[in-house]
Amino acid sequence: MDMSLVRPNIARLTPYSCARNEYSGTKVNALLDANENPYNRPFNRYPDPLQRELKARIAEVKGVPAQNIFLGNGSDEAIDLCYRVFCQPGIDNVVAIEPTYGMYKVCADINGVDYRPVLLDDHFQISAGRLLERCDAHTKLIWICSPNNPTGNNINREEIVKVLDNFHGMVVVDEAYSDFSSKVPLRQEAAGRGNLIVLNTMSKAWGCAAIRLGMAFAEEPVIELFNKVKYPYNINLLTQQKALEMLADPFEMDKWVRTILLERGRLMQAFADLPQCERVFPTDANFFLARMKDAQASYDYLIGKGVIVRNRTRVSLCHNCLRITVGSKGENATLLAALRQQR
Ligand SMILES: *Cc1c(COP(=O)(O)O)cnc(C)c1O
């Protein structure tokens, strides 16, 4: 990473120094530095601001060295930090594939950063050339989500690599759904490629949306910048403990993923046979996009049956599309039974 990409105030920033970071090594007999209450263990103590134990375990599970890992309060924190670290409000801009995950634009708007969407083609793909064409001297970030939300497909790897090779700013590749994909994820390249940031989350395959734990993988200077700008104790103790418990048994997650992929196949086939459905798009995630004859009508009908899907009809390239999350066997059966009765 080129340090001139960093906002000048952030490059100069002296971060908050946590009480517990200022000593090291010695045997502790009394912790009287942080104005904590001595009672109510273990919740009386501030959690590890750098989540060392959890990062060591994530390093093993994800195959990325601990010093190349940032942990956030959901991926959403890492997304926001990309703006706060790299983008000057009112001056810098970012380029993103379109359609994609809504938070990239919301965070751009909140941070006063110009957001430049570049439309995917009919196969929901993009060429590196089309993304790079929209960049100028003030483009700090390019957002690529793969597998992409809401389209479900992986973005062509050769094009992502071309962007990485030819763009001077940071390329953020959001791999929130990579555990559902048969493609090799990019995250292990993040430690070696200076301008790559890869995002992962515990919210999808790991079944932990409630604990709010997201990850960013990048070269060490980028991780250090994120650590400097984040809230000191951004990952609470309960989240760190629960994540460690989940990561102790990755086979449980693998089992869930296999079941979800089997269900996905059945559900997509059944959708393709529905008279209300015009087309089911291929997917590498735990959801799929279905083009309906009348998405609004099917969406409203399903709401009446207590079945909630995502209506994407007003999203670019997604006219008349519903985004269907693959649920449990029971939930999927409920969805299909309802749609088979729609008239
Ligand atoms: C669901 C999702 C996330 C997860 O965000 P968290 O804040 O970690 O829950 C990230 N990126 C994409 C593209 C998603 O669809």
Side-chain angles (χ1 to χ4, degrees):
M1 183 212 29
D2 175 352
M3 277 304 282
S4 73
L5 288 171
V6 180
R7 279 172 69 181
N9 60 314
I10 300 301
R12 285 192 305 268
L13 180 72
T14 307
Y16 176 74
S17 175
C18 303
R20 219 128 289 162
N21 276 353
E22 290 180 359
Y23 80 92
S24 65
T26 51
K27 179 177 178 297
V28 172
N29 292 315
L31 279 176
L32 306 175
D33 57 345
N35 298 344
E36 296 152 334
N37 189 317
Y39 308 112
N40 198 34
R41 284 184 189 204
F43 302 108
N44 60 329
R45 299 294 176 199
Y46 280 100
D48 178 2
L50 292 173
Q51 312 97 21
R52 279 163 266 234
E53 189 187 356
L54 179 52
K55 279 180 186 165
R57 180 62 190 142
I58 290 174
E60 291 173 352
V61 173
K62 297 282 185 178
V64 176
Q67 66 269 23
N68 298 105
I69 302 174
F70 165 82
L71 298 182
N73 189 327
S75 318
D76 292 344
E77 183 182 1
I79 292 168
D80 190 50
L81 281 171
C82 289
Y83 288 102
R84 298 208 291 154
V85 165
F86 293 107
C87 299
Q88 284 272 73
I91 295 173
D92 290 331
N93 65 72
V94 305
V95 166
I97 62 171
E98 168 74 14
T100 192
Y101 185 45
M103 280 304 287
Y104 314 143
K105 175 163 195 312
V106 171
C107 284
D109 291 346
I110 289 170
N111 286 287
V113 173
D114 180 27
Y115 183 88
R116 302 178 170 185
V118 181
L119 208 58
L120 296 171
D121 66 19
D122 294 344
H123 303 285
F124 298 141
Q125 286 297 338
I126 191 101
S127 69
R130 294 210 47 230
L131 285 170
L132 294 168
E133 220 169 70
R134 287 293 283 138
C135 298
D136 60 24
H138 290 292
T139 307
K140 292 292 185 70
L141 310 171
I142 294 180
W143 293 96
I144 297 173
C145 183
S146 181
N148 188 30
N149 179 3
T151 60
N153 60 298
N154 272 302
I155 301 299
N156 286 334
R157 179 61 55 90
E158 313 82 77
E159 298 305 315
I160 298 179
V161 171
K162 268 191 231 165
V163 172
L164 283 164
D165 287 342
N166 293 289
F167 179 54
H168 176 68
M170 303 302 294
V171 182
V172 191
V173 180
D174 188 341
E175 294 192 325
Y177 299 98
S178 60
D179 290 311
F180 300 102
S181 170
S182 48
K183 289 271 154 61
V184 180
L186 252 185
R187 63 169 183 267
Q188 285 168 350
E189 295 197 26
R193 280 196 180 259
N195 66 339
L196 173 61
I197 298 172
V198 174
L199 304 182
N200 272 198
T201 180
M202 293 289 284
S203 298
K204 306 291 158 61
W206 288 94
C208 281
I211 73 172
R212 311 306 303 131
L213 189 70
M215 303 154 213
F217 306 111
E219 220 183 35
E220 248 183 292
V222 177
I223 301 297
E224 280 167 16
L225 285 161
F226 280 22
N227 285 336
K228 228 164 87 154
V229 176
K230 76 180 181 77
Y231 288 159
Y233 306 103
N234 62 327
I235 310 295
N236 70 68
L237 178 66
L238 293 168
T239 294
Q240 295 190 44
Q241 285 177 339
K242 185 65 192 176
L244 276 167
E245 184 191 318
M246 296 304 302
L247 291 159
D249 183 13
F251 298 109
E252 181 76 7
M253 182 274 270
D254 286 340
K255 259 196 304 191
W256 288 335
V257 167
R258 275 197 302 275
T259 306
I260 289 166
L261 293 184
L262 281 175
E263 277 296 299
R264 184 183 76 185
R266 291 181 351 107
L267 197 54
M268 289 171 76
Q269 186 56 55
F271 250 77
D273 294 338
L274 288 170
Q276 313 86 313
C277 179
E278 288 202 328
R279 170 150 194 219
V280 173
F281 292 95
T283 183
D284 286 293
N286 64 334
F287 61 84
F288 62 92
L289 207 56
R291 177 154 285 137
M292 311 300 280
K293 295 214 166 86
D294 184 343
Q296 190 67 48
S298 290
Y299 175 79
D300 292 339
Y301 166 81
L302 285 171
I303 296 259
K305 296 278 173 183
V307 178
I308 320 301
V309 298
R310 195 93 155 115
N311 185 3
R312 300 283 76 186
T313 190
R314 273 174 286 277
V315 169
S316 322
L317 305 180
C318 297
H319 185 61
N320 267 331
C321 288
L322 298 179
R323 193 194 69 192
I324 314 289
T325 304
V326 179
S328 66
K329 279 189 175 142
E331 288 173 316
N332 303 335
T334 303
L335 167 68
L336 287 173
L339 283 171
R340 283 174 182 142
Q341 285 167 20
Q342 188 192 359
R343 51 195 86 251

